Amino acid sequence: MNTYADDLAALTEKLDLKEAIHVGHSTGGGEVARYIGRHGTRRVVMAVLISSVPPLMVKTDKNPGGLPLSVFDGFRAEVAKNRAQFYKDITLPFYGYNRPGAKISEGIREHWWLQGMLGGMKPHYDCIKAFSETDFTEDLKKFDVPTLVLHGDDDQIVPIGASALMSAKIVKNAKLKVYPGFPHGMPATHADQINADLLAFFKQSKEMAA
């Protein structure tokens, strides 16, 4: 996660971005958190964590609500055995397509698979440890910009109890919005709703800062 955050910092410095809005989904939310934790908010005006992994995904003595390490060991085993099939299969819980009555979009599933297969095997394997075992608690404590936390309560990939509900308590003055029945991949399955809420937050935060 330090590499992700430092790459982002290098990009923002090179482009001389100012008053940027950082929106991160899933592991990307961890990247936003670690970026702020390591580089501060000098160039950041708002932050959004969507279906995000912070503060910590894996179950520990201090994080009893997390997922057992065996879950992530299973991910690693499947990636090593047949990455292409794993990426195809995981789209079902990722988008909630395994729920009764779900309207499945094969286009969304294929697009996700294509994005996944563009990456390398080694970084894919290693990133499982990065997104599941990194503790972002101290990073979240450094947030000092308006922050929106969005999560579906039927997220089967990043369960809401050990993620959004905790992050919203750690980030000072964070705004939490929970979507009943929405899946992990809700930015794709419910794009109109998520985009509308993002725009409303941006507008409201900008008006309050004016």
Side-chain angles (χ1 to χ4, degrees), residues 92-111:
L92 295 175
F94 194 99
Y95 294 108
Y97 291 156
N98 58 343
R99 295 308 196 202
K103 184 178 180 181
I104 299 175
S105 168
E106 291 299 332
I108 287 178
R109 294 187 68 198
E110 291 173 9
H111 185 237

Side-chain angles (χ1 to χ4, degrees), residues 1 14 29 31 43 51 53 55 66 83 90 92-93 101 118 123 126 128 145 158 160 163-164 169-171 176 192:
M1 294 309 304
K14 179 66 175 179
E31 182 176 355
R43 296 178 177 275
S51 310
V53 299
R83 181 175 58 139
I90 203 171
L92 295 175
L118 289 173
D126 291 344
I128 297 171
V145 294
V158 182
I160 190 172
S163 54
K169 293 179 180 179
I170 298 171
V171 176
L176 171 66
D192 290 347

